[in-house]
Amino acid sequence: EPSTPKSKFAWLKKIGSATKAAMKKVFSSSYKKDINIPADSLLWKWKELTRLEDADPKGGLGCYDKQTIRDQRNVVAEMIKQFGKNALQGKDLLYVTFPAKSSRGASVLEMLASSSAYGPEYLNRAASSRSPVERMSLVIAYYIAGLHCSTGFRKPLNPILGETLESVLDDGTEVYFEQTSHHPPRSHWLIEGKGYKYHGWVGYKAKIGLNTLKIHHRGARIIDFDDGGQITYTNPIDQYNGVLVGQIKHQTFGCIEFRDEKNGLSCDLRFRPSSKLPSDVLYGEIMDKNQKVVCRVEGSWLGFCYINGKKVWDIKTTPRAKMERKANALPSDATFREDAELIRKMDWEEAQECKKRLEEKQRFERKLRKKYGPKK
């Protein structure tokens, strides 16, 4: 019996209802509500402060390269065509094989490690500080400064299970990453600097909407200092708007919770604390155990950071340490990936074949681990 228009397009109605419910949940969440920002806050003068040229006036980093826009939209259109309503219903996209032409010639591990280049500038100083408040403020500055290092509009290559990264900064800081899980994807790291060890893990869940791609980060971020101090913090939500039509831009949302349990300090760092400000702006107050404000943090991950009115980071002038692969890096190091090299050379056909071979090898090795590895 022929389908009636009602039954034929019933799935579109379901998608519309699901999208409406999801959007209602997002826009009613706590991180979308304005908070009280002091009238004398520097954030109200954000137009006078340093931001990248490609920063969107309403917030986030805009994509203006025509070739990149064309490539990314072709990929998204193909994904929707291939997966139909499954993609539109917001199912996890991390299991999708992305075309090499849409990818960046670098692994996710390299992208994650890039923010550690600010370690010598902030974490070394935090480790030597005897003031718990100053230490936390420097850790927050390190976080804000490093956010732009991992942004971009070409997707980095998914790490292969067991892939590693071993690097060293020019001050001697050692950086280690490893892809420890394939499904769900999970990366662990250890960064050993002067007076501190920064370690943790991060995983992702990606969902696509009608014109957005949202990436939820989960995991643990822990900085242990040699004097016994410890600061932990949480993860944000990344969102790419305009994946099909309109302005493509990358925004970050959420509330990052910094905690120093030993000294009773806390800071909830909010992205876009007011609807009157761009979405890349951040505001937070460091509080003591009595909930008294002891320090104010104001910034934008696309330009600047001020601690109690003093500039501590400028995207155009603050130095970043150089990172190099360690001389004795394992063969599994991300910088040795053949498909990444082919992508950088824009040899798309060979890069796609190489990427496919690596993914097939990964699936085979994952089966071996499951079969012969320790039983849960």
Side-chain angles (χ1 to χ4, degrees):
E1 183 179 345
S3 299
T4 64
K6 182 178 179 180
S7 61
K8 184 177 180 180
F9 297 105
W11 65 275
L12 279 174
K13 184 177 181 181
K14 291 181 179 179
I15 292 172
S17 299
T19 302
K20 184 177 180 180
M23 294 299 287
K24 182 178 180 181
K25 182 178 180 181
V26 168
F27 284 98
S28 64
S29 60
S30 60
Y31 71 79
K32 290 288 183 178
K33 297 177 181 177
D34 288 5
I35 61 174
N36 292 324
I37 301 176
D40 63 347
S41 172
L42 289 166
L43 296 180
W44 300 120
K45 300 178 181 179
W46 64 269
K47 292 182 180 180
E48 303 171 16
L49 303 175
T50 304
R51 285 172 84 224
L52 287 177
E53 289 77 5
D54 287 345
D56 188 276
K58 294 183 179 180
L61 183 67
C63 179
Y64 301 100
D65 182 77
K66 293 182 179 180
Q67 186 60 50
T68 298
I69 294 172
R70 191 179 302 114
D71 290 345
Q72 298 310 303
R73 285 187 171 154
N74 287 340
V75 169
V76 173
E78 180 60 31
M79 285 167 51
I80 293 175
K81 179 180 178 181
Q82 184 178 357
F83 295 105
K85 59 183 180 181
N86 287 340
L88 291 173
Q89 287 173 335
K91 294 191 176 180
D92 198 342
L93 292 179
L94 291 174
Y95 300 158
V96 173
T97 299
F98 285 82
K101 194 172 183 179
S102 72
S103 301
R104 190 187 312 183
S107 166
V108 166
L109 298 189
E110 295 174 84
M111 178 195 73
L112 291 172
S114 62
S115 64
S116 65
Y118 281 109
E121 180 69 21
Y122 299 107
L123 297 187
N124 286 2
R125 289 164 56 195
S128 63
S129 176
R130 293 297 172 260
S131 165
V133 174
E134 181 185 37
R135 173 174 286 179
M136 176 170 276
S137 68
L138 288 168
V139 168
I140 296 172
Y142 167 78
Y143 171 74
I144 294 174
L147 279 170
H148 77 279
C149 298
S150 58
T151 191
F153 295 98
R154 289 190 177 275
K155 182 182 175 298
L157 294 166
N158 288 335
I160 301 299
L161 182 60
E163 181 176 309
T164 56
L165 182 72
E166 298 176 83
S167 301
V168 61
L169 303 183
D170 52 18
D171 76 325
T173 296
E174 296 183 337
V175 180
Y176 302 96
F177 277 77
E178 181 177 355
Q179 188 70 6
T180 53
S181 176
H182 177 45
H183 286 325
R186 182 175 294 183
S187 309
H188 278 77
W189 71 84
L190 169 64
I191 299 173
E192 295 186 294
K194 296 179 179 180
Y196 71 90
K197 290 182 175 65
Y198 174 31
H199 57 98
W201 67 272
V202 66
Y204 314 91
K205 188 173 183 180
K207 289 190 175 182
I208 191 169
L210 295 178
N211 198 32
T212 61
L213 174 63
K214 188 175 293 186
I215 302 174
H216 294 260
H217 304 259
R218 62 187 188 280
R221 298 174 182 267
I222 304 164
I223 303 177
D224 288 318
F225 296 96
D226 288 358
D227 62 7
Q230 182 186 86
I231 293 177
T232 64
Y233 58 98
T234 56
N235 296 279
I237 298 171
D238 284 317
Q239 181 169 300
Y240 290 85
N241 299 82
V243 294
L244 283 176
V245 294
Q247 172 65 55
I248 294 181
K249 66 177 180 178
H250 172 206
Q251 300 183 89
T252 303
F253 296 110
C255 177
I256 312 302
E257 300 174 0
F258 291 83
R259 298 291 184 265
D260 178 350
E261 300 293 345
K262 181 179 178 180
N263 295 293
L265 297 175
S266 65
C267 179
D268 291 344
L269 187 68
R270 278 281 305 274
F271 288 88
R272 197 172 196 176
S274 169
S275 57
K276 298 178 182 179
L277 295 170
S279 62
D280 52 274
V281 163
L282 304 103
Y283 180 80
E285 295 173 337
I286 299 178
M287 297 186 175
D288 64 15
K289 60 183 178 181
N290 297 316
Q291 295 301 294
K292 178 183 176 182
V293 177
V294 293
C295 187
R296 184 192 294 181
V297 181
E298 301 156 299
S300 160
W301 64 271
L302 292 176
F304 59 89
C305 178
Y306 287 81
I307 304 294
N308 281 343
K310 180 181 178 181
K311 183 187 285 188
V312 296
W313 173 63
D314 186 299
I315 196 169
K316 295 183 178 180
T317 60
T318 303
R320 292 170 57 182
K322 294 180 180 179
M323 181 182 296
E324 294 183 355
R325 183 178 64 216
K326 294 192 74 173
N328 59 346
L330 295 170
S332 56
D333 199 89
T335 59
F336 291 137
R337 285 187 60 153
E338 184 183 356
D339 54 349
E341 178 64 25
L342 290 167
I343 289 172
R344 289 193 290 270
K345 292 179 179 178
M346 292 188 288
D347 188 345
W348 306 123
E349 186 174 343
E350 186 57 36
Q352 188 65 39
E353 287 300 314
C354 183
K355 189 169 180 287
K356 183 179 178 180
R357 289 194 301 270
L358 286 172
E359 290 171 350
E360 289 174 349
K361 180 183 178 183
Q362 176 177 231
R363 284 190 285 269
F364 174 73
E365 291 180 349
R366 183 168 179 257
K367 290 179 181 178
L368 293 180
R369 284 183 172 89
K370 187 176 181 179
K371 183 176 182 180
Y372 298 108
K375 306 298 181 183
K376 293 183 179 180

